[in-house]
Amino acid sequence: MDLIKNGWFSEINKLWPGQAMSIEVEEVLHNERSDYQDVLVFKSKNYGNVLVLDGVIQVTERDEFSYQEMITHLPMFSHPNPTKVLVIGGGDGGVVREVLKHACVEQVVQCEIDKMVIDVSKKYLPSTSVSYSDPKLYQHVGDGFAFMREHTSEFDVIITDSSDPDGPAESLFEESYYQLMKDALKPNGIISTQGECMWLHLPLIKKMLQFNRRLFAHADYAFTTIPTYPSGQIGFMLCSRNPETKFNTPARTITEAEADSMGLKYYSSEVHCASFVLPRFVRKELSDL
């Protein structure tokens, strides 16, 4: 197993040249090639079980909540009443789990192309896949592009939980994909997508923000911190068809007691607002858009 040497997994990738996250491995739990990608799950010394796709860390049990909560609750709390939600990707189940914490949701549809990711997550990541038995969930194993072409003007919120823009996922960062999501939204709908790292991919973030501000009434970039993602940070592209949306001010706020009852560990109404406050070097790069 080339990815694991001397008991350590190292995430070496051309998308973050000259650096790598390494995690000490206790036991390999699953290692197999699906129809789409290499799927690896291992038990780590300090981060619990870890899901790796094509050599890139997707989920660790220790820190997954910071990503799952933010990619989900930023759009969900920016919408006044999201009842129907589409999740593209997210085979580990974490986004579905977070969506279903909103009592207003009547149905969540998940399109995940790789059934193996769903299956290994059910087996080895029970805390993220916990909501896969929820009756509000409709799960479609197949291509999200084709699904959205057949379901226009249908969803209040669409969340794309994708891997990085390399190989098959590269098309998920193009303008044509955002147009497809826009067409699948209801008139006041909102999207949230994995928006890459400000330390590594600022030109791509700028490009995406530029075309999304043409496509949507509002588009913004927010971020969270997460130790096991490259450079310890990941961002989100938030776009709305509703001219009244103000992403840095949630349409629905929650108290500490409500956050506790939802089982939230990272997201709060205050963190929501703060996640759109960008460092000066990022703000200056994006200021001419």
Side-chain angles (χ1 to χ4, degrees):
M1 193 175 303
D2 293 340
L3 297 175
I4 299 174
K5 294 181 179 179
N6 300 318
W8 287 78
F9 166 83
S10 293
E11 186 186 54
I12 299 171
N13 193 285
K14 64 184 180 182
L15 290 174
W16 38 92
Q19 67 183 65
M21 176 69 182
S22 293
I23 298 178
E24 192 170 3
V25 178
E26 286 195 347
E27 180 186 1
V28 174
L29 302 173
H30 188 98
N31 185 34
E32 188 177 358
R33 175 80 187 175
S34 75
D35 292 337
Y36 303 96
Q37 57 202 334
D38 291 318
V39 180
L40 169 67
V41 183
F42 64 85
K43 180 182 178 183
S44 70
K45 185 172 182 179
N46 294 317
Y47 281 88
N49 289 351
V50 179
L51 171 66
V52 178
L53 301 179
D54 279 343
V56 177
I57 296 168
Q58 305 297 313
V59 171
T60 84
E61 289 181 308
R62 177 177 170 181
D63 64 6
E64 54 85 15
F65 62 87
S66 67
Y67 173 81
Q68 316 277 19
E69 290 185 17
M70 292 296 280
I71 197 173
T72 304
H73 299 306
L74 287 175
M76 292 296 287
F77 280 113
S78 294
H79 195 291
N81 186 37
T83 60
K84 191 169 185 180
V85 179
L86 174 64
V87 178
I88 303 292
D92 56 80
V95 171
V96 168
R97 177 194 69 199
E98 295 303 318
V99 168
L100 287 168
K101 291 179 179 180
H102 292 257
C104 55
V105 171
E106 298 171 2
Q107 185 185 42
V108 54
V109 178
Q110 182 186 31
C111 289
E112 167 59 61
I113 199 167
D114 196 340
K115 188 175 184 297
M116 187 180 292
V117 176
I118 294 172
D119 291 341
V120 300
S121 298
K122 286 179 178 179
K123 186 172 183 179
Y124 298 112
L125 297 169
S127 62
T128 62
S129 60
V130 64
S131 296
Y132 272 163
S133 60
D134 194 293
K136 290 183 178 180
L137 172 65
Y138 170 76
Q139 202 165 54
H140 172 78
V141 177
D143 179 39
F145 282 77
F147 185 89
M148 284 191 288
R149 290 189 190 102
E150 297 171 2
H151 295 80
T152 58
S153 305
E154 193 168 319
F155 299 98
D156 297 299
V157 173
I158 298 175
I159 301 169
T160 297
D161 178 12
S162 71
S163 51
D164 295 295
D166 185 33
E170 192 168 358
S171 59
L172 303 182
F173 294 79
E174 299 294 335
E175 184 172 353
S176 57
Y177 179 68
Y178 282 83
Q179 180 66 59
L180 194 59
M181 285 191 289
K182 180 182 178 182
D183 294 341
L185 286 173
K186 293 178 183 177
N188 290 328
I190 289 173
I191 67 170
S192 174
T193 69
Q194 193 268 93
E196 290 302 318
C197 175
M198 67 177 74
W199 295 100
L200 298 168
H201 308 118
L202 196 50
L204 176 61
I205 293 167
K206 185 173 183 178
K207 172 190 170 185
M208 290 195 297
L209 200 54
Q210 195 166 33
F211 65 63
N212 279 319
R213 285 183 174 170
R214 293 196 304 267
L215 286 176
F216 292 89
H218 289 288
D220 251 316
Y221 177 84
F223 72 97
T224 190
T225 62
I226 177 167
T228 54
Y229 281 2
S231 297
Q233 179 268 328
I234 195 72
F236 313 103
M237 195 63 56
L238 281 297
C239 308
S240 177
R241 296 188 66 178
N242 184 357
E244 303 301 316
T245 299
K246 295 180 180 178
F247 280 122
N248 63 357
T249 305
R252 297 179 292 128
T253 58
I254 52 172
T255 64
E256 283 296 298
E258 288 170 325
D260 286 342
S261 70
M262 293 175 72
L264 299 180
K265 299 178 182 179
Y266 194 99
Y267 179 91
S268 68
S269 296
E270 293 80 10
V271 167
H272 181 123
C273 300
S275 67
F276 292 92
V277 180
L278 304 178
R280 290 191 73 248
F281 79 96
V282 180
R283 186 160 43 87
K284 288 178 74 172
E285 183 66 24
L286 303 179
S287 63
D288 58 345
L289 298 180

